[in-house]
Amino acid sequence: MSHLDGEISATGFEPERRDTVVVTGLASDAHTWNLVFLQLLIEELGYHVVNLGPCVPDEVLVAECRSVDPVMVVIGSVNGHGFQDGKRVIEKLRACSGLAGTPTVIGGKLGTGGEHDGERLDALLEAGFDAVFDDGDDSVGRLRNFMAAIPARTASELSETGTPR
Protein backbone atom coordinates (compact mmCIF):
# COMPACT_ATOMS: atom_id res chain seq x y z
CA MET A 1 0.00 0.00 0.00
CA SER A 2 1.17 3.52 -0.60
CA HIS A 3 -0.03 6.73 1.04
CA LEU A 4 -2.16 7.27 -2.02
CA ASP A 5 -4.10 4.09 -1.24
CA GLY A 6 -5.02 5.24 2.30
CA GLU A 7 -8.29 6.77 3.35
CA ILE A 8 -8.52 10.55 3.37
CA SER A 9 -9.21 12.10 6.77
CA ALA A 10 -9.55 15.69 7.92
CA THR A 11 -5.77 15.79 8.37
CA GLY A 12 -4.88 14.18 5.05
CA PHE A 13 -4.11 10.62 4.10
CA GLU A 14 -4.23 8.11 6.92
CA PRO A 15 -2.76 4.67 6.46
CA GLU A 16 -4.88 1.86 7.81
CA ARG A 17 -2.26 0.56 10.23
CA ARG A 18 -0.69 2.73 12.92
CA ASP A 19 1.32 0.40 15.14
CA THR A 20 4.72 1.84 16.04
CA VAL A 21 8.05 0.64 14.64
CA VAL A 22 11.41 1.84 15.99
CA VAL A 23 14.06 2.50 13.32
CA THR A 24 17.62 3.02 14.51
CA GLY A 25 21.27 3.08 13.62
CA LEU A 26 23.94 1.46 15.76
CA ALA A 27 26.35 3.18 18.15
CA SER A 28 29.27 3.19 15.70
CA ASP A 29 27.31 4.18 12.59
CA ALA A 30 26.84 7.87 11.71
CA HIS A 31 24.90 7.32 8.47
CA THR A 32 21.41 8.78 8.27
CA TRP A 33 20.19 8.36 4.69
CA ASN A 34 19.51 4.65 5.23
CA LEU A 35 17.41 5.41 8.30
CA VAL A 36 15.38 8.03 6.43
CA PHE A 37 14.78 5.54 3.62
CA LEU A 38 13.68 2.87 6.12
CA GLN A 39 11.37 5.34 7.86
CA LEU A 40 9.69 6.35 4.59
CA LEU A 41 9.35 2.71 3.48
CA ILE A 42 7.84 1.62 6.78
CA GLU A 43 5.50 4.62 6.95
CA GLU A 44 4.34 3.74 3.45
CA LEU A 45 3.43 0.31 4.83
CA GLY A 46 1.13 2.09 7.29
CA TYR A 47 3.17 2.17 10.47
CA HIS A 48 4.02 5.04 12.79
CA VAL A 49 7.83 5.28 12.96
CA VAL A 50 10.03 6.48 15.80
CA ASN A 51 13.40 7.10 14.14
CA LEU A 52 16.16 7.26 16.76
CA GLY A 53 18.74 8.33 14.19
CA PRO A 54 22.44 7.42 13.93
CA CYS A 55 25.04 6.67 16.64
CA VAL A 56 22.48 5.39 19.14
CA PRO A 57 24.15 3.97 22.26
CA ASP A 58 22.86 0.52 23.19
CA GLU A 59 21.44 1.73 26.49
CA VAL A 60 19.49 4.53 24.76
CA LEU A 61 18.06 2.08 22.22
CA VAL A 62 16.90 -0.27 24.97
CA ALA A 63 15.41 2.58 27.04
CA GLU A 64 13.57 4.07 24.04
CA CYS A 65 12.20 0.68 23.03
CA ARG A 66 10.98 0.08 26.58
CA SER A 67 9.28 3.48 26.51
CA VAL A 68 7.72 3.17 23.04
CA ASP A 69 6.86 -0.57 23.20
CA PRO A 70 7.08 -1.00 19.41
CA VAL A 71 5.60 -3.84 17.39
CA MET A 72 8.99 -4.13 15.68
CA VAL A 73 12.57 -2.81 15.82
CA VAL A 74 14.45 -2.22 12.54
CA ILE A 75 18.22 -1.68 12.75
CA GLY A 76 20.11 -0.32 9.75
CA SER A 77 23.88 -0.47 9.22
CA VAL A 78 26.00 1.16 6.54
CA ASN A 79 29.49 1.39 8.03
CA GLY A 80 30.15 -2.36 7.88
CA HIS A 81 30.13 -2.95 11.63
CA GLY A 82 26.56 -4.22 11.76
CA PHE A 83 27.66 -7.73 12.66
CA GLN A 84 29.67 -6.75 15.74
CA ASP A 85 27.33 -4.01 16.94
CA GLY A 86 24.23 -6.03 16.10
CA LYS A 87 25.31 -9.07 18.12
CA ARG A 88 25.98 -6.86 21.12
CA VAL A 89 22.70 -4.91 20.96
CA ILE A 90 20.39 -7.88 20.33
CA GLU A 91 21.63 -9.48 23.54
CA LYS A 92 20.62 -6.33 25.44
CA LEU A 93 17.22 -6.11 23.75
CA ARG A 94 16.44 -9.78 24.35
CA ALA A 95 17.49 -9.46 28.02
CA CYS A 96 14.56 -7.06 28.63
CA SER A 97 11.38 -8.92 29.48
CA GLY A 98 9.20 -6.42 27.57
CA LEU A 99 11.34 -6.66 24.44
CA ALA A 100 12.31 -10.32 24.45
CA GLY A 101 9.55 -11.19 21.98
CA THR A 102 9.49 -8.00 19.92
CA PRO A 103 10.31 -8.77 16.29
CA THR A 104 13.74 -7.27 15.67
CA VAL A 105 15.58 -7.21 12.35
CA ILE A 106 18.90 -5.89 11.12
CA GLY A 107 20.03 -5.08 7.62
CA GLY A 108 22.49 -3.27 5.42
CA LYS A 109 26.24 -3.67 5.33
CA LEU A 110 26.96 -6.14 8.08
CA GLY A 111 30.67 -6.58 7.35
CA THR A 112 33.54 -4.54 5.97
CA GLY A 113 34.45 -7.08 3.29
CA GLY A 114 31.37 -6.36 1.20
CA GLU A 115 30.68 -9.99 0.36
CA HIS A 116 27.70 -12.09 1.42
CA ASP A 117 28.68 -14.13 4.46
CA GLY A 118 26.17 -16.83 5.33
CA GLU A 119 27.93 -17.67 8.58
CA ARG A 120 27.51 -14.09 9.80
CA LEU A 121 23.84 -14.08 8.90
CA ASP A 122 23.32 -17.36 10.75
CA ALA A 123 25.21 -16.03 13.79
CA LEU A 124 22.97 -12.95 13.95
CA LEU A 125 19.85 -15.12 13.74
CA GLU A 126 21.23 -17.40 16.43
CA ALA A 127 21.99 -14.34 18.60
CA GLY A 128 18.30 -13.39 18.54
CA PHE A 129 17.39 -11.43 15.43
CA ASP A 130 14.15 -12.54 13.79
CA ALA A 131 15.46 -11.71 10.32
CA VAL A 132 18.67 -10.45 8.76
CA PHE A 133 18.66 -8.52 5.48
CA ASP A 134 22.20 -8.20 4.23
CA ASP A 135 23.09 -5.72 1.55
CA GLY A 136 22.08 -8.04 -1.23
CA ASP A 137 19.40 -8.79 -3.68
CA ASP A 138 15.82 -7.80 -2.88
CA SER A 139 16.40 -6.98 0.78
CA VAL A 140 13.64 -4.34 0.56
CA GLY A 141 11.17 -6.88 -0.82
CA ARG A 142 12.11 -9.37 1.87
CA LEU A 143 11.65 -6.71 4.59
CA ARG A 144 8.20 -5.86 3.19
CA ASN A 145 7.22 -9.54 3.22
CA PHE A 146 8.48 -9.94 6.78
CA MET A 147 6.49 -6.92 7.96
CA ALA A 148 3.35 -8.11 6.21
CA ALA A 149 3.42 -11.18 8.45
CA ILE A 150 3.37 -9.14 11.69
CA PRO A 151 -0.12 -9.21 13.16
CA ALA A 152 -1.72 -5.84 13.96
CA ARG A 153 -2.27 -5.14 17.63
CA THR A 154 -5.83 -5.28 18.81
CA ALA A 155 -7.50 -2.45 20.69
CA SER A 156 -6.89 -4.27 23.99
CA GLU A 157 -3.17 -4.23 23.23
CA LEU A 158 -3.06 -0.47 22.74
CA SER A 159 -2.02 1.80 25.57
CA GLU A 160 -4.62 3.08 28.01
CA THR A 161 -4.89 6.31 26.02
CA GLY A 162 -5.80 4.35 22.91
CA THR A 163 -2.68 5.42 21.08
CA PRO A 164 -0.53 2.89 19.30
CA ARG A 165 2.40 1.49 21.18
Side-chain angles (χ1 to χ4, degrees):
M1 170 177 27
S2 74
H3 288 293
L4 297 177
D5 296 327
E7 295 181 15
I8 298 174
S9 71
T11 59
F13 293 102
E14 290 291 331
E16 294 176 19
R17 191 173 182 166
R18 298 301 298 166
D19 291 329
T20 299
V21 172
V22 168
V23 171
T24 186
L26 293 160
S28 70
D29 198 331
H31 293 89
T32 57
W33 60 265
N34 58 319
L35 304 175
V36 172
F37 173 81
L38 286 168
Q39 178 176 348
L40 293 173
L41 173 69
I42 294 167
E43 286 176 343
E44 187 173 284
L45 296 174
Y47 291 89
H48 169 73
V49 172
V50 174
N51 187 340
L52 300 180
C55 300
V56 178
D58 299 354
E59 294 74 21
V60 171
L61 172 58
V62 171
E64 289 297 319
C65 286
R66 291 182 81 175
S67 173
V68 170
D69 188 22
V71 295
M72 184 173 171
V73 178
V74 177
I75 299 172
S77 175
V78 174
N79 70 354
H81 300 288
F83 176 73
Q84 294 91 346
D85 289 357
K87 276 189 70 172
R88 185 187 66 245
V89 79
I90 194 63
E91 291 175 11
K92 293 178 181 177
L93 289 169
R94 294 302 184 220
C96 292
S97 60
L99 301 172
T102 302
T104 303
V105 302
I106 188 169
K109 296 192 181 304
L110 303 174
T112 57
E115 71 282 348
H116 176 80
D117 185 340
E119 289 184 22
R120 268 192 204 154
L121 301 184
D122 291 343
L124 288 169
L125 292 169
E126 190 173 305
F129 282 100
D130 295 287
V132 179
F133 305 101
D134 66 336
D135 193 27
D137 42 326
D138 198 26
S139 56
V140 171
R142 291 185 297 128
L143 175 60
R144 284 178 190 230
N145 290 338
F146 183 87
M147 294 189 74
I150 297 173
R153 286 190 172 162
T154 63
S156 64
E157 295 171 315
L158 295 174
S159 70
E160 292 179 10
T161 62
T163 56
R165 295 189 282 180

